[in-house]
Amino acid sequence: MEPPPESRTGDPVDNRSDIRGFLTSRRAKLSPERVGLPTGRRRRVPGLRREEVAALAGVSTEWYTRLEKGHISGVSEDVLEAVARALLLDEDERTYLLDLARAARPARRGSRRRKDVKIPPSVQWMVDSMTMAPAFVRTGRLDIVASNALCRALYSPMFDSATTGERGCPNFPRYFFLDPGSRDFFVDWEEGARATVAVLRAEAGREPHDRALRELVGELSTLSPDFRTMWASHDVRIRHEGVKRLDHPEVGRLEMTFRSLNLPLPQRAVHDLIIYTAEPGTPWEDRLKLLASWAAPQTSPTEPTRPPH
């Protein structure tokens, strides 16, 4: 699975293969019954036929066939919305389709690519202040770029993994697909891996000019058959939150809920602040507290903590 071709910021992106793969995969998932059509007896392929989607969207079969082949530039947003309704796309999938269409058009003058920025000290202070909740900031490529002590203790297998590379920056996709230990660490490995790929796919639609993202997708596609298979499914997810279950090497099984909050930064950078919590009164809370006590800085009880010089 090759990453998208290079393009200069402002130039349209040749993403016809992404459009084709996304639309055909969504069409294949739809049964006639779900859209009120008769089942029929002879269907050579799963899902709806192109002419059925075209009729539901109110366009000609020839026009929809051209769209499904990736010719999306110049298609109005109203027509794309009609296609999204015909395919019963959810909100994330609809947003992804519109992102693909925008990437295929020449950008307006003055549009800028989202840039990587250094995390402001105030953000790091905020994360550090959360002593009883693992918290971290991640990029759209799912790099952890800021974290508190409890997060580093919780995700110690990932922070210590060889997949962090020379930068020492943990990356969820690399850990999931390139470190065999991730299958023991994440209780629901396949579910988490699929969600990770879906989040990465959505980011690729949002930021088609991100070279580092293309390189990451290319690396994982080359090295991991599991990633290639999941990437080819064209599933997308913009927000990822819910329940995380881990088998921690020090404290054992942990079950936590996690929430994702947008964290806008300068130069159009938008990162997510992720916070984990354990339900009060559960064994998970006790184990998280134990991990927090180990992660807390050890100081003398008779001497105040001195700031580093």
Side-chain angles (χ1 to χ4, degrees):
M1 181 69 59
E2 293 293 329
E6 289 282 348
S7 66
R8 295 186 302 274
T9 303
D11 290 347
V13 173
D14 185 1
N15 56 3
R16 284 173 292 181
S17 63
D18 288 334
I19 297 163
R20 182 168 55 250
F22 178 66
L23 290 176
T24 55
S25 66
R26 298 313 97 172
R27 178 164 61 85
K29 286 187 173 185
L30 272 185
S31 64
E33 296 92 334
R34 287 191 63 193
V35 295
L37 294 175
T39 304
R41 293 184 178 180
R42 301 181 63 182
R43 285 185 175 268
R44 292 178 296 175
V45 295
L48 299 181
R49 302 185 179 98
R50 284 177 175 170
E51 58 267 27
E52 291 170 334
V53 176
L56 291 168
V59 298
S60 70
T61 301
E62 292 75 16
W63 186 95
Y64 179 76
T65 299
R66 179 174 169 77
L67 175 65
E68 200 173 89
K69 289 182 177 180
H71 301 285
I72 203 171
S73 179
V75 177
S76 73
E77 190 164 310
D78 287 343
V79 172
L80 291 175
E81 292 281 7
V83 170
R85 288 192 295 271
L87 291 172
L88 302 185
L89 301 187
D90 64 25
E91 188 61 27
D92 288 356
E93 292 169 330
R94 171 190 163 278
T95 299
Y96 179 66
L97 178 61
L98 296 177
D99 284 339
L100 291 176
R102 276 190 284 271
R105 302 173 189 137
R108 295 179 181 178
R109 182 174 297 180
S111 65
R112 294 180 299 161
R113 181 178 67 84
R114 185 184 299 172
K115 297 182 179 180
D116 290 335
V117 298
K118 188 175 181 180
I119 298 298
S122 59
V123 172
Q124 184 64 60
W125 301 338
M126 175 183 65
V127 171
D128 285 337
S129 71
M130 302 179 194
T131 56
M132 287 306 300
F136 59 92
V137 177
R138 73 180 185 195
T139 67
R141 295 188 291 270
L142 304 185
D143 291 319
I144 294 182
V145 291
S147 58
N148 63 8
L150 186 49
C151 170
R152 293 189 291 275
L154 178 69
Y155 274 117
S156 56
M158 183 164 66
F159 277 83
D160 295 338
S161 172
T163 60
T164 58
E166 295 180 357
R167 297 180 306 157
C169 180
N171 175 268
F172 278 97
R174 282 194 177 98
Y175 181 62
F176 262 103
F177 294 101
L178 302 184
D179 191 325
S182 68
R183 294 177 180 267
D184 297 322
F185 182 61
F186 291 106
V187 175
D188 307 300
W189 183 89
E190 183 168 351
E191 178 184 340
R194 289 189 180 280
T196 297
V197 174
V199 170
L200 210 60
R201 172 69 79 173
E203 178 69 5
R206 260 192 315 269
E207 294 296 324
H209 299 282
D210 188 334
R211 176 182 292 182
L213 177 57
R214 287 195 298 270
E215 291 174 350
L216 174 61
V217 171
E219 173 191 1
L220 296 174
S221 297
T222 300
L223 298 177
S224 171
D226 287 320
F227 180 85
R228 284 198 300 274
T229 299
M230 294 181 189
W231 185 257
S233 71
H234 291 270
D235 292 333
V236 294
R237 183 179 297 189
I238 293 176
R239 300 194 68 81
H240 180 35
E241 50 192 25
V243 176
K244 185 73 69 177
R245 299 196 301 159
L246 307 174
D247 265 331
H248 195 275
E250 302 296 334
V251 298
R253 180 67 59 92
L254 286 163
E255 184 172 311
M256 298 157 292
T257 60
F258 66 101
R259 306 290 291 183
S260 173
L261 306 172
N262 289 338
L263 187 67
L265 295 171
Q267 296 181 294
R268 291 188 64 242
V270 178
H271 295 348
D272 291 327
L273 171 64
I274 314 295
I275 303 171
Y276 288 26
T277 54
E279 183 179 351
T282 62
W284 329 124
E285 183 190 37
D286 294 337
R287 292 171 189 173
L288 195 60
K289 286 180 177 179
L290 178 60
L291 197 60
S293 69
W294 293 345
Q298 301 299 314
T299 59
S300 169
T302 59
E303 293 183 7
T305 303
R306 295 180 182 276
H309 293 288

